[in-house]
């Protein structure tokens, strides 16, 4: 099936049941993270930036959990930055990145503008567009990773998914669609990911940039701007990433994070959680030192003394110490005053993080770590070689993912608001309109 035929003919109900359930879980997960990130510094800065520099003109979208009307380009910028600012959103192995943190806020911005122009969008139609956006973004990411020598952040490819899902919502003709794809790829940000691993900042995984690039490409193509062919789709070198479109679902390989920190840190946290369950008396007071054995990319996280939330979430030592000291890692442990907590910082200084060849050789197909504890009573405790909790092979139960949504969103939303979002997402496929869900997501929060 051609890409254009796929985006025009696919309906959400045609996807396998497990794929449909995964997409709904992804949507709820992203919304929980966005609500949890609503009040952090990055989100506030970008909402103000969007309000000042992208005022609503002929078309308008509401800022997530804010209610102010801005241009869809501003809403996409701010929404992508917001979700990206709390590193708890789902992701994907083959692309070594994420789609949802780009495509959900971007399609919300586009669909809200489209709806405010008088077009009704059913729940099934929005989910069809969202499923298309996820699937094509992930395949574009896998294609880029297979052909580019440098590791690119998600924003470098996720705009492709925005174009594909957006073209479905807009009913775009094939010629205009192909130009939009070419524009999105050509203007896509470079995003050298390892630079952000070594120097964490608000730029993160570039989801704001990917959301902007996708919406910008759609608007430019509609205005008549032409684009060169998108190589990550049309080149013969990436045929393997696209030949089974509509038959096999990349979204089925999504993983989910129990903690709001970089995925590469999560195998070590999972291993530590297992050790604590096996040895309930282990806590910060009786740990002499900790050694984490991991793969090269995870080793580069380090993060013993973060200066801000970005460094805390793109670190390994600090969140591992926070898990031990606080027995949880949520928004409150990786933002605000907790970053300077004396007990967490003291324990993080006793953590050594080293690369080991056997784990580096298994990356990126597997992301694995081992944790060794030296206790003050002379015992040495060692974990198994551990994969991150939430991988397709180690799934998080549905009830735990539901609890995660409420734990993240509970930072800014009342229980009744969270329950209403959860219910609307569950019923979305059968809803004649997206308006009730959009109002819960896009209006201001009391």
């Amino acid at each position: 099936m051609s890409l254009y035929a796929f985006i025009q003919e696919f309906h959400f109900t045609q996807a396998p049941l497990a794929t449909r359930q995964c997409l709904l879980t992804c949507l709820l997960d992203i919304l929980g993270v966005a609500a949890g990130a609503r009040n952090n510094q990055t989100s506030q800065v970008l909402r103000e930036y969007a309000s000042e520099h992208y005022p609503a003109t002929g078309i308008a979208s509401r800022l997530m959990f804010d209610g102010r009307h801005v241009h869809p380009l501003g809403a996409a910028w701010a929404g992508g930055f917001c979700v990206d600012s709390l590193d708890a959103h789902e992701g994907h192995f083959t692309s070594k990145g994420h789609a949802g943190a780009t495509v959900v806020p971007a399609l919300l911005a586009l669909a809200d503008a489209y709806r405010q122009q008088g077009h009704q969008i059913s729940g099934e139609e929005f989910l069809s567009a969202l499923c298309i956006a996820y699937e094509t973004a992930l395949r574009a990411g896998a294609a880029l990773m297979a052909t580019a020598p440098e590791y690119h952040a998600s924003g470098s490819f996720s705009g492709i998914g925005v174009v594909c899902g957006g073209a479905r919502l807009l009913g775009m003709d094939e010629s205009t669609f192909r130009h939009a794809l070419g524009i999105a790829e050509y203007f896509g940000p470079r995003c050298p990911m390892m630079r952000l691993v070594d120097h964490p900042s608000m730029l993160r995984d570039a989801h704001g940039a990917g959301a902007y690039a996708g919406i910008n490409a759609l608007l430019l193509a509609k205005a008549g701007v032409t684009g060169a062919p998108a190589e990550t789709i049309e080149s013969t070198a990436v045929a393997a990433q696209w030949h089974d479109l509509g038959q096999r679902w990349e979204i089925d390989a999504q993983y989910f994070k129990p903690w709001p920190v970089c995925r590469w840190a999560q195998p070590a946290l999972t291993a530590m959680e297992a050790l604590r369950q096996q040895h309930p008396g282990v806590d910060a007071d009786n740990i002499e030192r900790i050694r984490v054995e991991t793969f090269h990319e995870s080793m580069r996280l380090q993060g013993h003394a973060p200066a801000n939330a970005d460094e805390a979430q793109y670190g390994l030592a600090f969140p591992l110490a926070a898990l031990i000291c606080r027995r949880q890692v949520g928004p409150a442990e990786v933002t605000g005053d907790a970053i300077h907590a004396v007990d967490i910082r003291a324990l993080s200084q006793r953590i050594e993080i080293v690369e080991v060849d056997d784990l580096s050789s298994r990356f990126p197909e597997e992301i694995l770590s081992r944790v060794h504890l030296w206790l003050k009573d002379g015992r040495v405790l060692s974990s198994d070689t551990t994969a991150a909790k939430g991988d397709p092979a180690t799934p998080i139960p549905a009830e735990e993912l539901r609890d995660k949504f409420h734990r993240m969103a509970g930072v800014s939303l009342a229980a009744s608001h969270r329950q209403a979002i959860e219910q609307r997402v569950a019923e979305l496929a059968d809803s004649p309109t997206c308006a009730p869900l959009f109002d819960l997501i896009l209006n201001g929060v009391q």
Side-chain angles (χ1 to χ4, degrees), residues 207-383:
H207 289 288
Y212 181 97
I215 297 294
N216 188 50
L218 288 164
L219 297 179
L220 285 170
K222 279 176 61 66
V225 176
T226 59
E231 289 191 351
T232 49
I233 297 170
E234 301 195 28
S235 168
T236 56
V238 298
Q241 278 74 40
W242 295 98
H243 78 281
D244 54 0
L245 183 66
Q247 302 169 31
R248 179 184 61 82
W249 295 90
E250 285 287 353
I251 195 172
D252 291 344
Q254 289 276 100
Y255 61 72
F256 294 89
K257 293 181 177 182
W259 304 290
V261 299
C262 178
R263 189 62 176 177
W264 297 342
Q266 303 227 0
L269 272 67
T270 305
M272 186 64 230
E273 191 175 61
L275 282 175
R276 282 180 43 216
Q277 291 172 354
Q278 296 163 13
H279 307 277
V282 172
D283 58 32
D285 291 336
N286 58 24
I287 294 175
E288 187 74 41
R289 63 186 178 94
I290 300 171
R291 176 184 172 93
V292 176
E293 297 177 349
T294 191
F295 52 98
H296 174 78
E297 288 77 2
S298 177
M299 178 274 296
R300 285 173 65 172
L301 293 172
Q302 295 295 319
H304 291 78
N308 51 51
D310 302 294
E311 292 183 7
Q313 294 175 53
Y314 267 85
L316 196 166
F318 185 86
L320 180 59
L323 179 65
I324 297 168
C325 292
R326 299 290 189 268
R327 298 191 173 273
Q328 65 178 10
V329 181
E333 283 69 47
V334 290
T335 61
D337 292 341
I339 294 171
H340 305 288
V342 173
D343 58 337
I344 298 175
R345 282 181 171 260
L347 181 58
S348 70
Q349 295 303 315
R350 305 200 298 272
I351 298 174
E352 177 191 19
I353 303 169
V354 298
E355 177 185 0
V356 290
D357 290 342
D358 67 312
L359 301 186
S360 286
S361 67
R362 296 166 72 173
F363 179 82
E365 287 74 20
E366 298 175 277
I367 58 170
L368 304 165
S369 297
R370 290 185 289 265
V371 174
H372 307 281
L373 305 180
W374 281 262
L375 303 183
K376 292 179 180 178
D377 63 10
R379 287 182 296 160
V380 179
L381 307 178
S382 297
S383 76

Side-chain angles (χ1 to χ4, degrees), residues 200-217:
S201 76
M202 291 181 182
L203 302 180
R204 300 291 185 100
D205 209 32
H207 289 288
Y212 181 97
I215 297 294
N216 188 50

